[in-house]
Amino acid sequence: MSRSISLRATMLCVLMTVAAVQAWAAPEDDALVPQRIFLGITADPAHSQTVTWRTAAPAAAPQAQLAPWTADPSPDKAANTIQATAAAVEIAPGVQVTHYEALFDALEPGKGYAYRVGDGNAWSEWNYFRTATTNPDPYKFIFLGDAQRGVKTVWSRAVREAVLRAPDARFILHAGDLVDEGYDDAQWAEWCYALGFLSARYPNITAVGNHDMNLPEGTPNYDKPAGVSPLWRAHFAYPKNGPADTPVLEEEAYFFDYQGVRFIVLETNAYALWELYDPETRKLVQDKQIPWLEALLKDNPNRWTVVLQHEPMYQSGKNPDNPLLRDTLLPLFDKYRVDLVLQGHDHTYARSKKLAAGQEVAPADPGTVYVVSVSGSRMYPANPIYANLMVKTQPNTQMYQIVDVNGDRLRYEAYTVTGMPVDSFELRKDANGVSTFVDETAPAQPQPAPAK
């Protein structure tokens, strides 16, 4: 083949690809076509599921349809229709979009369902989810640290590679700071683009980061917000089972039980050292969240307990230390034997030894493992302040983590976005609720100082 023919063939392939992409993207121009479809989580994921989406123009009859997941190419023949709620959200001065939420309930445990969202005329594609079982059956989930920056360009590869490694994962946990500026809809567009269809296929479960709370400069209380940004709240639907009579924590502090694990999502910005909240709201969050957390830990029928939060208990990056966070939460984590705490904020990777009261404990003694990770492009240098408590630290590395829960065993694995294994351990729990810690990663060796 001559060079000119080869060049023409290449150009034709490029043009065909562009045309295909444009054809696929064209429906997004329709103001009533559903966009940004997100599966959330409910307090009872064996029997219910939430979904959110949005349209550029308000739909007259927002709804979702649900059908059994089968190979029949016409799921609508067996579909039930569920009415959705709607809320207008301002994304720029004078510019509004409409977000929707639908609840699928009375579902069968451990069953696959097909669903789509729309208004009766403009529909999304048919998507899929599976309910949890009512038994402690084995499953996997994905954990991602902060995305925040480089969301479209490089964070996209973190979430996609994680799903390629664990396509059977049941959901994805995010440690907060999903975007750099919580008020910026363009940044949310990048986050949604990076996930693509994964947001409609895997429940995305998020903690609130400090950047997710940011409001535009010049708006009332922009420097002392009283809760998460409206856009964060519009994209997600989570259990409303947080502290009672505390609207600011609704769907920000919540929990759910999933096949033998109690997952507790905390709002830890109020315990950080900087004055992020307005003082009144900050005190309310601090006062209300702790007794709620203790009640969840004390009355927990599950074998395992996993906590998801933004700020870390033990700093691994350049951010200020958080003694208030430790003083407040550590006694509860120790007393009620929290197994694993997943965190972000410090933009490094660090995984602790098994700890209790801030000290290493023997593998078979009660204790907790703490993980900090980062999945986006913003990186901090490693902070040695708690290096004696860490087994593995790795700065300047995009990471993702896979956790495999199988009865009395919880296995954790951390990878770079190139697929290189970095860290792993296993917890094995006895009938008395005490786990044995099996560390599979050799401690990092001290590195020589660079030559001057």
Side-chain angles (χ1 to χ4, degrees):
M1 181 182 293
S2 70
R3 181 178 178 182
S4 61
I5 295 175
S6 177
L7 180 60
R8 285 197 298 272
T10 300
M11 292 180 65
L12 178 60
C13 288
V14 170
L15 290 172
M16 291 174 65
T17 301
V18 170
V21 170
Q22 290 175 337
W24 176 86
E28 296 295 332
D29 296 331
D30 188 328
L32 291 175
V33 169
Q35 304 175 36
R36 303 192 186 186
I37 304 169
F38 275 88
L39 288 175
I41 198 75
T42 71
D44 184 11
H47 299 97
S48 56
Q49 176 65 57
T50 53
V51 62
T52 61
W53 71 98
R54 92 177 196 185
T55 56
Q63 58 192 270
Q65 288 190 329
L66 184 73
W69 180 256
T70 70
D72 189 324
S74 301
D76 53 302
K77 293 187 301 185
N80 294 320
T81 299
I82 295 92
Q83 301 306 310
T85 59
V89 179
E90 187 174 76
I91 60 173
V95 180
Q96 287 189 336
V97 296
T98 306
H99 281 258
Y100 310 93
E101 179 178 335
L103 170 66
F104 304 121
D105 58 7
L107 306 180
E108 295 182 34
K111 183 174 179 180
Y113 289 91
Y115 77 95
R116 65 177 179 175
V117 298
D119 65 355
N121 295 305
W123 289 105
S124 72
E125 73 279 24
W126 284 95
N127 289 296
Y128 167 85
F129 69 84
R130 176 171 289 276
T131 53
T133 68
T134 54
N135 301 311
D137 295 319
Y139 68 98
K140 297 175 184 176
F141 66 88
I142 294 167
F143 166 59
L144 296 172
D146 299 21
Q148 190 176 343
R149 294 185 184 173
V151 172
K152 180 179 179 181
T153 54
V154 294
W155 180 74
S156 53
R157 65 180 183 170
V159 65
R160 296 173 190 181
E161 290 301 317
V163 170
L164 286 173
R165 180 168 294 277
D168 55 342
R170 291 301 182 88
F171 47 83
I172 305 172
L173 299 182
H174 302 265
D177 280 2
L178 310 181
V179 296
D180 198 31
E181 303 290 354
Y183 63 82
D184 190 341
D185 190 63
Q187 293 185 23
W188 283 103
E190 291 197 2
W191 199 76
C192 296
Y193 177 95
L195 278 165
F197 78 91
L198 300 177
S199 66
R201 172 61 179 81
Y202 297 87
N204 281 263
I205 299 154
T206 64
V208 175
N210 52 298
H211 283 263
D212 302 322
M213 298 173 66
N214 287 353
L215 299 174
E217 185 172 350
T219 57
N221 300 319
Y222 83 92
D223 58 340
K224 298 243 189 288
V228 76
S229 76
L231 278 171
W232 187 95
R233 195 174 293 282
H235 281 86
F236 307 120
Y238 298 137
K240 295 180 175 65
N241 56 11
D245 304 318
T246 316
V248 69
L249 285 175
E250 189 173 278
E251 297 181 272
E252 296 182 36
Y254 56 95
F255 78 97
F256 62 97
D257 296 339
Y258 201 103
Q259 295 178 199
V261 183
R262 171 154 290 181
F263 291 89
I264 303 174
V265 182
L266 297 179
E267 208 295 20
T268 54
N269 295 292
Y271 308 98
L273 291 178
W274 61 87
E275 293 293 330
L276 181 63
Y277 275 121
D278 71 276
E280 184 178 345
T281 305
R282 178 185 173 99
K283 185 176 187 307
L284 178 68
V285 171
Q286 292 176 355
D287 291 347
K288 290 283 192 176
Q289 194 166 206
I290 298 309
W292 168 81
L293 171 62
E294 182 162 20
L296 291 181
L297 295 173
K298 184 178 181 179
D299 184 20
N300 181 4
N302 299 276
R303 183 188 294 269
W304 300 99
T305 306
V306 175
V307 170
L308 176 68
Q309 62 188 52
H310 182 59
E311 279 82 12
M313 302 288 280
Y314 302 100
Q315 301 306 113
S316 62
K318 75 171 188 177
N319 286 305
D321 195 13
N322 286 323
L324 177 61
L325 189 66
R326 284 193 303 280
D327 292 346
T328 306
L329 298 182
L330 199 59
L332 294 179
F333 290 174
D334 289 344
K335 180 178 181 179
Y336 296 104
R337 299 180 180 179
V338 169
D339 298 292
L340 180 62
V341 179
L342 302 174
Q343 311 150 111
H345 189 63
D346 267 13
H347 297 264
T348 57
Y349 179 79
R351 194 265 297 171
S352 78
K353 303 169 182 177
K354 194 179 188 185
L355 305 177
Q359 302 293 326
E360 181 182 6
V361 296
D365 287 347
T368 304
V369 181
Y370 297 87
V371 173
V372 177
S373 192
V374 57
S375 57
S377 65
R378 187 179 191 182
M379 300 287 167
Y380 291 162
N383 186 338
I385 183 173
Y386 293 112
N388 64 309
L389 301 180
M390 300 300 155
V391 173
K392 184 72 176 182
T393 58
Q394 185 138 335
N396 200 43
T397 307
Q398 268 189 284
M399 304 282 293
Y400 64 83
Q401 292 73 222
I402 310 295
V403 181
D404 190 338
V405 184
N406 190 346
D408 61 355
R409 298 196 176 201
L410 185 152
R411 180 174 178 78
Y412 167 99
E413 296 177 342
Y415 298 88
T416 72
V417 293
T418 62
M420 179 178 295
V422 170
D423 191 15
S424 62
F425 66 85
E426 188 168 279
L427 296 173
R428 302 170 184 172
K429 187 160 287 192
D430 64 22
N432 296 319
V434 177
S435 64
T436 298
F437 180 50
V438 181
D439 200 332
E440 301 173 356
T441 301
Q445 298 300 313
Q447 298 299 310
K452 294 184 178 178

